[in-house]
Amino acid sequence: MGELLIRGDNPLSGEVKIGGRKNSAVAVLPAVLLAEGTSRLENIPAIRDVATYSRIISTLGADVGELRGGVLKIDASRLNPDVPPLELVKQIRASYYLVGALLGRFGYARVGLPGGCEIGQRPIDQHLKGFKSLGAEVSLEHGEVIAEADKLVGSHIYLDVASVGATINIMMAAVLAEGTTIIENCAREPHIVDVASCLNSMGARVVGAGTDTIKIHGVEKLKPGEHAIIPDEIEAATYAIASAATGGDVTLQNVVPKHLESVIAKLREAGIEIEDNGDWIRVISRDRPQAVRVKTLPYPGFPTDAMPPMMVLLSVAEGTSVVSEGVYESRFNHVDELQRMGTDIEVQGRTAVIEGVENLYGSSVKASNLRAGAALVIAGLVAQGETEVGDIEHVDRGYEFLPEKIRAMGGDVRRRQQSEETAAEEGEECARVVNLGQMQSAHGNG
Ligand code: EPZ
């Protein structure tokens, strides 16, 4: 696995362009499988999860073009409901969307249980409940979800948990069902609206996305979609927090401030100055941040995915902060590694108490998942001395051109040279899904 080498203790400054939303991208790629023909997606980020998803749907007969300048074309004409390779399905959480898409289009799906970040149990019982409610026979056999239905019929579904994945997955299965489906207690994350917009560009009739009740009027057939996904509010939150934690002054281009309102409010509460200019924000940290209390909740609450990075800022704030994780039962597996860098954090169940310290110190640490890795990168930028962040592939899953973007903000970050053969493999993989043009456009404002 690769490493990042970071020399810290200098403020970030300048500009960075935020890429497309990872969790939108890994939902619209399966969503366009619901129609024959070629769909055109824009603002797709060049990240490992997109590369992995492209490979998965290619094994099912989809013809996936090269990702060029954020544009990805997918021809799902020759798609078949085969079983996607487990070794790929296990690499990401969002592979569960294949069940909704294949069930919706073919009335049959057989997909291995998903992988993804290890941050708690992460069951998919609400997804399966929705499929059953639509009339599918659903079973779990040898680690695979098998769902089949002669016909899917609209239904009234009440989610026990406001699950992002279940909301999107059931929406995908319902767009071609006969009649109307109502999903209650839906998650309201911005990318749920994004996926609904993509489906509606294909001729689906989804209303209410972004609220806790979504209505889907089934249609006979869908056509290929045309959709540009939203900017990634978690990437934006990550770089806003990095600017704040390093005492920086950074402008984030291509953001929707509304989507990270809770993060902006919390950073302002900590004494960070934030200018909101419509589609860009400027994050200025003039003095030592102040301790705050953070509770993560489903949108529009403080996003759980921004919590690990936020803990780094609070680790060097003045005073005692308290962070409560309201979504997952265990999401503090980044704390042990942060402690190696001089933080003073005590975890008690789903709550962490953070005593702010003056300085962090470079160390050798390992990323255990995507957002934990992002937190360690920020800690390396704050720390005195050099930090090595290992298993950086976790971060590459969801952050597009992270070293390049941080260097564009004046941060000292570089990849330790991998061995020749893995670098070659990485090069081939990356060349397949991203061209230099996108890298240039990605930090055209960098
Ligand atoms: C999505 O995960 C995101 N992943 C996660 O982002 C994000 O943290 C999460 O939503 C919450 O915002 C993708 O979109 C690929 P949930 P998902 O279903 O769909 C429980 C990142 O870093 N639950 O909203 O798995 C579950 O255990 C990743 O980008 C059930 O009990 O999240 C969890 O406690 C990490 N039964 C809570 O609900 C179910 O059937 C929220 O899960 C489904 C979920």
Side-chain angles (χ1 to χ4, degrees):
M1 302 275 255
E3 292 95 19
L4 273 191
L5 300 181
I6 304 168
R7 186 169 300 284
D9 199 20
N10 67 309
L12 295 182
S13 64
E15 293 186 0
V16 65
K17 179 178 179 186
I18 301 302
R21 178 78 169 102
K22 164 182 96 75
N23 291 341
S24 259
V26 296
V28 295
L29 261 70
V32 300
L33 302 180
L34 282 156
E36 293 181 18
T38 300
S39 294
R40 187 178 192 277
L41 300 170
E42 291 183 27
N43 204 29
I44 299 292
I47 55 177
R48 287 171 71 93
D49 275 11
V50 166
T52 303
Y53 226 117
S54 299
R55 290 168 66 190
I56 292 174
I57 62 177
S58 301
T59 67
L60 300 176
D63 181 4
V64 185
E66 271 198 14
L67 179 59
R68 302 187 70 79
V71 175
L72 192 62
K73 291 180 183 171
I74 297 172
D75 180 354
S77 304
R78 283 171 296 287
L79 190 78
N80 54 68
D82 274 353
V83 182
L86 184 60
E87 71 274 7
L88 292 176
V89 162
K90 280 172 61 177
Q91 290 182 26
I92 55 177
R93 172 86 179 152
S95 46
Y96 51 35
Y97 291 136
L98 289 166
V99 182
L102 294 174
L103 180 64
R105 176 156 170 194
F106 297 110
Y108 179 78
R110 188 173 147 201
V111 183
L113 286 169
C117 297
E118 286 161 19
I119 46 179
Q121 285 300 310
R122 307 188 81 182
I124 59 169
D125 58 301
Q126 300 299 303
H127 302 235
L128 307 186
K129 169 181 170 177
F131 299 144
K132 288 175 188 165
S133 185
L134 292 169
E137 288 290 319
V138 181
S139 59
L140 267 178
E141 292 171 28
H142 310 302
E144 290 181 332
V145 175
I146 300 169
E148 45 196 322
D150 296 332
K151 181 171 66 171
L152 293 174
V153 179
S155 171
H156 195 147
I157 301 159
Y158 187 88
L159 293 179
D160 303 332
V161 178
S163 155
V164 171
T167 301
I168 293 174
N169 222 348
I170 297 166
M171 199 161 60
M172 282 196 210
V175 289
L176 290 169
E178 185 181 275
T180 297
T181 297
I182 299 173
I183 314 172
E184 305 264 15
N185 193 27
C186 299
R188 295 181 282 164
E189 272 65 8
H191 69 280
I192 293 171
V193 181
D194 210 22
V195 176
S197 304
C198 180
L199 289 168
N200 288 341
S201 81
M202 300 167 69
R205 294 178 58 208
V206 181
V207 291
T211 73
D212 61 3
T213 303
I214 295 177
K215 201 173 275 189
I216 301 126
H217 303 287
V219 296
E220 285 285 314
K221 199 170 170 61
L222 293 173
K223 61 185 181 2
E226 290 267 341
H227 183 69
I229 69 172
I230 57 173
D232 193 322
E233 78 271 16
I234 302 301
E235 183 191 18
T238 303
Y239 290 130
I241 292 166
S243 175
T246 58
D249 179 349
V250 172
T251 294
L252 282 66
Q253 300 282 2
N254 191 37
V255 300
V256 178
K258 172 79 180 155
H259 293 168
L260 59 155
E261 209 166 38
S262 58
V263 175
I264 290 171
K266 198 49 74 175
L267 287 174
R268 283 174 170 156
E269 198 182 316
I272 308 302
E273 192 179 315
I274 298 186
E275 291 171 22
D276 173 349
N277 297 282
D279 63 353
W280 58 276
I281 61 172
R282 185 177 173 191
V283 182
I284 308 169
S285 171
R286 300 188 196 281
D287 308 307
R288 187 178 180 190
Q290 296 301 307
V292 293
R293 298 179 72 90
V294 176
K295 179 162 180 52
T296 70
L297 287 168
Y299 189 87
F302 191 96
T304 175
D305 296 344
M307 180 270 283
M310 188 68 182
M311 283 184 72
V312 178
L313 174 72
L314 300 179
S315 297
V316 292
E318 186 173 356
T320 304
S321 300
V322 179
V323 174
S324 306
E325 170 54 44
V327 174
Y328 294 106
E329 64 271 21
S330 66
R331 190 181 196 157
F332 289 122
N333 39 16
H334 50 288
V335 171
D336 288 349
E337 295 300 90
L338 286 177
Q339 297 285 71
R340 292 177 196 283
M341 302 178 71
T343 61
D344 181 354
I345 302 171
E346 186 185 341
V347 174
Q348 298 150 1
R350 295 176 77 149
T351 299
V353 179
I354 307 170
E355 294 298 339
V357 296
E358 294 275 344
N359 297 300
L360 300 184
Y361 303 94
S363 179
S364 175
V365 292
K366 273 188 184 293
S368 54
N369 64 65
L370 169 57
R371 307 303 175 183
L376 293 172
V377 170
I378 295 173
L381 292 168
V382 171
Q384 293 176 351
E386 186 162 287
T387 296
E388 175 191 279
V389 181
D391 292 352
I392 203 62
E393 283 73 14
H394 288 291
V395 177
D396 292 334
R397 283 189 50 210
Y399 288 93
E400 181 187 54
F401 309 130
L402 178 131
E404 293 81 0
K405 289 187 176 184
I406 293 177
R407 281 204 297 273
M409 292 184 274
D412 183 346
V413 176
R414 59 186 174 83
R415 288 184 191 277
R416 183 193 295 282
Q417 286 318 311
Q418 292 159 299
S419 61
E420 280 314 305
E421 59 274 14
T422 50
E425 281 161 24
E426 291 294 300
E428 281 153 29
E429 184 63 22
C430 210
R432 206 185 79 74
V433 295
V434 66
N435 73 327
L436 187 60
Q438 181 165 18
M439 190 176 283
Q440 283 150 359
S441 67
H443 57 121
N445 291 307

